[in-house]
């Protein structure tokens, strides 16, 4: 059944206005974003194909416009609109996160999962925090397989000194969605923790994220208490 043939309050737009966006299912939300179908394909069918293409939204944060344009009926404009919506969602999570003190994994988990958990390659990043645990700088330091020989504490703490950071928080992702730290992750963290103690900079945590999972070194007892 096409949208125009539905009961008024069953149509995504009208349903959202009366009951709120939270009452719409994933297909209906995509229908709102897509707007309309094509001559040969209803908007519901297009939405269903987007769901299939993104593994029922699991891959929507990381999908490229060119991949969406492989769906007949989705051109450049619609593909960019969907990707722009995802980018805005990531930025909204970041804006909400950095507006408050960052004390542990619960304060950054959603932002990190949206930003890094969907990446196909490993990313290693550092948050530099002031004495009140507010973000001073967010820096991506490395992309690729994490190796302790490539991530040198010197680079991390040079930046920390430049911005007068009181503490740092490390994050990297596992594209496999398994956040359990590898031997290289453990060695890298030990090296950085030792350097943090020398510089008297608090290592808040090292968080590993996947698309649907998260591991905290601090909560797992793998970090020493700060001096």
């Amino acid at each position: 059944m096409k949208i125009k043939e539905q009961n008024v309050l069953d149509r995504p737009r009208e349903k959202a206005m009366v009951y709120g966006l939270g009452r719409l299912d994933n297909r209906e939300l995509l229908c709102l974003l897509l707007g309309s179908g094509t001559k040969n394909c209803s908007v519901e069918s297009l939405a269903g194909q987007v769901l299939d293409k993104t593994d029922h939204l699991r891959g929507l944060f990381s999908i490229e416009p060119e991949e969406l344009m492989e769906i007949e009926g989705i051109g450049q404009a619609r593909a960019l609109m969907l990707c722009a919506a995802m980018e805005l969602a990531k930025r909204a999570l970041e804006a909400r996160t950095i507006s408050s003190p960052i004390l542990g994994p619960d304060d950054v988990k959603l932002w990190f999962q949206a930003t890094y958990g969907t990446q196909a390659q490993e990313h290693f990043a550092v948050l530099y925090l002031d004495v009140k645990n507010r973000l001073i700088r967010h820096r991506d330091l490395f992309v690729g397989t994490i190796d302790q020989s490539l991530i040198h504490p010197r680079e991390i703490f040079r930046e920390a000194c430049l911005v007068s950071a009181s503490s740092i928080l490390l994050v990297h992702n596992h594209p496999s969605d398994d956040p359990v730290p590898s031997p290289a992750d453990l060695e890298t963290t030990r090296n950085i923790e030792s350097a943090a103690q020398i510089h008297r900079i608090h290592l808040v945590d090292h968080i590993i994220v996947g698309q649907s999972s998260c591991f905290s070194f601090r909560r797992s007892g793998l970090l020493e208490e700060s001096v």
Side-chain angles (χ1 to χ4, degrees):
M1 181 185 296
K2 295 182 179 180
I3 284 180
K4 65 182 180 181
E5 298 171 349
Q6 295 175 349
N7 181 286
V8 172
L9 290 183
D10 287 333
R11 298 173 188 173
R13 185 178 301 165
E14 287 76 7
K15 184 177 178 180
M17 291 302 296
V18 174
Y19 300 113
L21 288 169
R23 291 286 296 274
L24 273 62
D25 61 27
N26 294 337
R27 186 185 298 263
E28 290 171 326
L29 287 170
L30 283 169
C31 285
L32 277 184
L33 286 172
L34 293 168
S36 62
T38 66
K39 181 179 179 181
N40 299 316
C41 188
S42 69
V43 68
E44 296 94 332
S45 178
L46 285 178
Q49 291 181 70
V50 172
L51 286 173
D52 291 340
K53 188 79 170 176
T54 60
D55 189 19
H56 294 275
L57 302 185
R58 280 178 55 85
L60 192 55
F61 266 124
S62 58
I63 200 165
E64 297 293 334
E66 292 80 6
E67 295 176 89
L68 288 168
M69 289 167 65
E70 293 172 359
I71 299 173
E72 185 176 356
I74 295 186
Q76 185 182 76
R78 283 177 170 169
L80 286 172
M81 178 193 61
L82 288 172
C83 290
M86 295 304 99
E87 182 62 28
L88 280 172
K90 292 178 187 178
R91 295 186 187 190
L93 287 170
E94 178 181 3
R96 186 177 68 178
T97 299
I98 66 177
S99 66
S100 302
I102 297 172
L103 303 175
D106 290 340
D107 298 319
V108 294
K109 177 182 176 181
L110 291 177
W111 170 30
F112 284 169
Q113 284 184 310
T115 302
Y116 297 109
T118 58
Q119 297 293 331
Q121 287 185 290
E122 287 193 45
H123 289 242
F124 186 93
V126 182
L127 302 188
Y128 296 94
L129 310 175
D130 66 16
V131 69
K132 294 184 178 180
N133 285 89
R134 292 186 179 274
L135 183 67
I136 303 171
R137 184 170 294 177
H138 168 210
R139 180 63 59 88
D140 285 344
L141 291 184
F142 185 77
V143 178
T145 302
I146 300 302
D147 186 320
Q148 65 267 28
S149 67
L150 298 175
I151 301 174
H152 200 286
R154 179 177 58 247
E155 301 302 319
I156 294 173
F157 292 99
R158 178 188 295 125
E159 186 90 10
C161 291
L162 285 173
V163 299
S164 300
S166 295
S167 57
I168 60 172
L169 190 150
L170 313 175
V171 58
H172 84 274
N173 65 305
H174 281 180
S176 66
D177 200 27
D178 179 0
V180 176
S182 68
D185 296 334
L186 294 168
E187 182 65 22
T188 296
T189 306
R190 282 193 290 267
N191 291 340
I192 295 172
E193 182 178 34
S194 296
Q197 291 171 346
I198 292 170
H199 288 83
R200 301 189 68 80
I201 291 176
H202 176 48
L203 177 55
V204 176
D205 206 343
H206 181 179
I207 298 171
I208 303 176
V209 295
Q211 188 164 331
S212 59
S213 53
C214 177
F215 180 93
S216 163
F217 275 70
R218 176 70 62 189
R219 285 187 173 171
S220 299
L222 295 176
L223 296 178
E224 297 180 9
E225 291 301 321
S226 299
V227 294

